[in-house]
Amino acid sequence: MPLLEARNLSKSYGPEALVVDNVSFSIASGETLGLVGESGSGKSTIARMVLGLIEPSSGSVLFDGSPISGVSQRKLRPIRRSMQVVFQDPFAALNPRMRVKDIVAEPLVIHKACPHSELQPRTAELLRAVGLDDSALARFPHEFSGGQRQRINIARALALRPKLLVLDEPVSALDVSVGAQIINLLRDLQREFSLTYLFISHSMPLVRYLSTNIAVLHRGRLVESGSSAEICDAPREAYTRSLLAATPEIRVD
Ligand code: ADP
Ligand code: MG
């Protein structure tokens, strides 16, 4: 059974056309699905439906076999713990008035997932896992660079030991070299914590670097999906070829 399955997902906001139109995909545990498409193609709408933040107009999302949509908040709570998200803007996601240790510890406190005495060591451990040392604990988000802030967001996302991370353009707001470091970190963390990723990006080279499989989205529809090698080396669709041609090579090593 796949860890995440989207079945015939559609979404419209009011009477206009569907912004997501009959999209289906599945992600096996430990794998990465790269969801690639240009701005406005419906990527974040899919992410929000997967996370149970908005209801699909039709279709369903299954996480570990359990439906996400049409479920009470109480039933969704344990599932929410297992599914975390990292967004594009590393600053907007961090409360500027909270110290980093409290930002990272917050999910543990809310979910009562850690005895109080263990909060500080657990938080320090999470920060070290993303490459930040203990001096980060007492500081505020504005004292960090964009890349470091995204590391803090990732530490927070890992706090509840999720199975799935939804990564919605996690490096699109960062310089290319900083973004490459974050991509490498995500790759290492995936192995270390046995994570499954839905990795969303408009950049084919980035998607290729992280993904087991790739799904290409165009105006709310999946035009093509397959293994990373199939999509990048032998694309069947002209639209996929145009995406491949549009993005320069990026070095991630
Ligand atoms: P992407 O993440 O690929 O850039 P989005 O999923 O954010 O695309 O948006 C897809 C389409 O849905 C866009 O045309 C956007 O304007 C529209 N859209 C997104 N959110 C809303 C909303 N809350 N109300 C109305 N339209 C929306
Ligand atoms: Mg988006």
Side-chain angles (χ1 to χ4, degrees):
M1 181 173 65
L3 182 67
L4 183 75
E5 194 176 355
R7 286 187 188 158
N8 307 105
L9 276 185
S10 293
K11 181 70 183 175
S12 65
Y13 296 100
E16 308 92 67
L18 294 170
V19 298
V20 173
D21 187 356
N22 200 29
V23 166
S24 299
F25 57 80
S26 62
I27 316 178
S29 188
E31 295 196 335
T32 297
L33 177 70
L35 182 62
V36 66
E38 57 199 315
S39 178
S41 57
K43 304 184 296 298
S44 293
T45 303
I46 290 172
R48 287 195 285 269
M49 289 191 281
V50 162
L51 291 159
L53 300 174
I54 58 173
E55 288 282 320
S57 303
S58 62
S60 57
V61 177
L62 299 174
F63 181 79
D64 236 350
S66 304
I68 299 298
S69 34
V71 173
S72 72
Q73 290 299 314
R74 191 177 55 82
K75 270 199 164 163
L76 214 49
R77 214 174 139 88
I79 301 175
R80 280 251 168 82
R81 280 182 67 153
S82 301
M83 254 198 305
Q84 298 290 321
V85 60
V86 177
F87 290 110
Q88 173 173 350
D89 185 340
F91 202 41
L94 299 171
N95 184 335
R97 282 178 291 277
M98 280 171 75
R99 291 182 196 277
V100 167
K101 62 179 175 187
D102 298 320
I103 289 172
V104 175
E106 192 175 46
L108 296 167
V109 173
I110 289 173
H111 286 269
K112 299 188 174 66
C114 180
H116 197 265
S117 61
E118 283 170 34
L119 272 181
Q120 182 110 354
R122 176 87 183 106
T123 305
E125 181 193 343
L126 284 162
L127 285 168
R128 281 197 294 273
V130 300
L132 294 171
D133 63 42
D134 293 2
S135 68
L137 286 163
R139 290 158 68 193
F140 289 93
H142 73 261
E143 299 176 60
F144 295 87
S145 68
Q148 289 170 324
R149 285 177 213 153
Q150 205 57 308
R151 288 174 192 267
I152 297 165
N153 278 311
I154 293 166
R156 181 184 156 92
L158 293 177
L160 293 167
R161 303 184 195 277
K163 293 179 182 169
L164 176 78
L165 283 192
V166 176
L167 304 158
D168 190 356
E169 309 227 32
V171 303
S172 299
L174 305 175
D175 289 345
V176 170
S177 63
V178 175
Q181 290 164 14
I182 298 292
I183 293 295
N184 275 322
L185 171 68
L186 289 169
R187 194 172 192 157
D188 294 344
L189 291 171
Q190 181 164 39
R191 244 177 270 134
E192 193 176 340
F193 296 102
S194 308
L195 293 163
T196 304
Y197 288 162
L198 173 58
F199 177 69
I200 295 174
S201 175
H202 57 265
S203 161
M204 267 294 193
L206 281 185
V207 165
R208 174 177 207 173
Y209 184 75
L210 272 186
S211 303
T212 325
N213 295 303
I214 295 177
V216 180
L217 192 68
H218 181 45
R219 295 188 183 159
R221 293 189 182 168
L222 282 191
V223 296
E224 186 167 8
S225 55
S227 74
S228 199
E230 275 165 5
I231 298 295
C232 294
D233 298 335
R236 282 162 292 166
E237 298 294 326
Y239 181 71
T240 307
R241 285 194 288 276
S242 75
L243 279 185
L244 284 162
T247 37
E249 279 300 313
I250 183 171
R251 266 180 62 87
V252 189
D253 48 26

